Amino acid sequence: MASRHQARERAVQILFQYDIHGQAGPWLDDFWIQYPLTDDLRVFAERLVAGVREHKKELDALIGAYATNWKVGRMPIIDRNILRLGCFELLYAPEVPAKVTLNEAIELAKSFGDEEASKFVNGILDKVLGSETRLERKRAFPELPVVGAQE
């Protein structure tokens, strides 16, 4: 059975390709043929991709502010896209508890990154969650969705 974790995997893989290609193309249709999801999970993955792409400048600025001695453009492509996805979920997916976002990002980094990627991703997302005033509600209740939050 497919899961939201698989949807996040697909989203990170698609974001990786956007980083390389710059735009959608035949590769995106081929990707969905090779890695299908149920309709609801594909919608979730596409929502994540669209959100990250829409807020990319904001997300990169946020990541850059907390990534000591790192420029976002110099990070490994997979790491920066996992971070973008995690920051997007923290900021724009109130239905996803902060703890889920951090755990999922760490697991994605373990699956797709090098040995240090999960620590790197965890450190930055933990700083974002702990410092950003927009995340006070998620910080207060990291295991619960933020009910009634505005997206």
Side-chain angles (χ1 to χ4, degrees):
M1 176 180 221
S3 66
R4 279 191 159 204
H5 178 75
Q6 288 174 312
R8 287 181 181 92
E9 286 179 337
R10 303 298 192 272
V12 166
Q13 292 168 313
I14 291 169
L15 291 167
F16 184 96
Q17 291 297 322
Y18 269 115
D19 241 8
I20 292 170
H21 297 286
Q23 61 187 3
W27 63 265
L28 187 55
D29 293 330
D30 291 342
F31 177 85
W32 284 120
I33 291 167
Q34 288 183 346
Y35 304 101
L37 289 173
T38 62
D39 290 344
D40 59 326
L41 291 176
R42 181 170 169 168
V43 167
F44 179 66
E46 289 175 338
R47 175 181 164 227
L48 295 175
V49 170
V52 167
R53 293 193 72 229
E54 179 182 344
H55 297 281
K56 183 179 168 192
K57 285 184 182 181
E58 174 195 4
L59 299 172
D60 284 358
L62 186 64
I63 293 163
Y66 293 102
T68 310
N69 301 320
W70 278 95
K71 292 189 183 294
V72 175
R74 303 277 302 167
M75 291 177 185
I77 295 172
I78 196 66
D79 293 359
R80 72 174 165 243
N81 281 296
I82 292 169
L83 287 166
R84 287 170 178 158
L85 180 64
C87 287
F88 174 76
E89 276 198 25
L90 286 172
L91 293 170
Y92 295 102
E95 76 281 4
V96 179
K99 185 174 182 176
V100 170
T101 297
L102 268 63
N103 287 341
E104 286 289 324
I106 291 165
E107 290 304 313
L108 289 168
K110 286 178 182 177
S111 295
F112 294 112
D114 66 18
E115 288 181 13
E116 298 298 314
S118 62
K119 294 175 191 171
F120 181 67
V121 165
N122 182 42
I124 293 173
L125 290 180
D126 192 53
K127 287 179 188 177
V128 170
L129 179 61
S131 302
E132 281 299 302
T133 57
R134 296 178 283 176
L135 296 173
E136 287 178 16
R137 291 177 76 178
K138 280 201 173 188
R139 190 168 40 251
F141 304 100
E143 296 183 13
L144 300 174
V146 179
V147 179
Q150 297 291 322
E151 272 196 61

